[in-house]
Structure formats: structure tokens, C-alpha cells
Amino acid sequence: MEQWKISVLTGVALIILALLFSAVRGTISIWMALVIILGVADIAIGLYRKSKE
């Protein structure tokens, strides 16, 4: 699999897991917010790599 696809899929998985854990706990902690931000950054980096190819 191409590197940019792995990066985008990892970002999506991070966001989904953070939202699931937040839903289970009932609140969004600072750590979950950071995981969501990292997921968005990972997706952005993956799309940037795709545009460079």
C-alpha cells in the first residue's frame, strides 16, 4: 500500500478511536482532543504526500 494511503487510514482510525473513547467516558479529555488533532494532522500529511506524487 502506498505511504500516503497508510497515513490517511491511520489518521481516520485515530479520530474514530478518540471519538469512541470519548463517547464511552461521556467527556472529551485533553488527551482525546490531542489524539483527534494528531489524526487530522496525519490525514493532512497524507494528502500532501499524495499531491507531491
Side-chain angles (χ1 to χ4, degrees):
M1 189 179 295
E2 296 176 43
Q3 186 65 33
W4 70 269
K5 287 181 184 177
I6 294 171
S7 185
V8 170
L9 289 175
T10 303
V12 170
L14 282 173
I15 292 171
I16 290 171
L17 285 174
L19 292 175
L20 284 175
F21 284 128
S22 296
V24 168
R25 292 186 65 194
T27 60
I28 292 182
S29 67
I30 188 70
W31 298 110
M32 291 302 137
L34 288 175
V35 170
I36 292 171
I37 291 169
L38 285 174
V40 170
D42 204 16
I43 291 171
I45 290 170
L47 293 177
Y48 177 73
R49 285 181 182 167
K50 180 184 178 191
S51 69
K52 287 292 189 177
E53 291 180 353

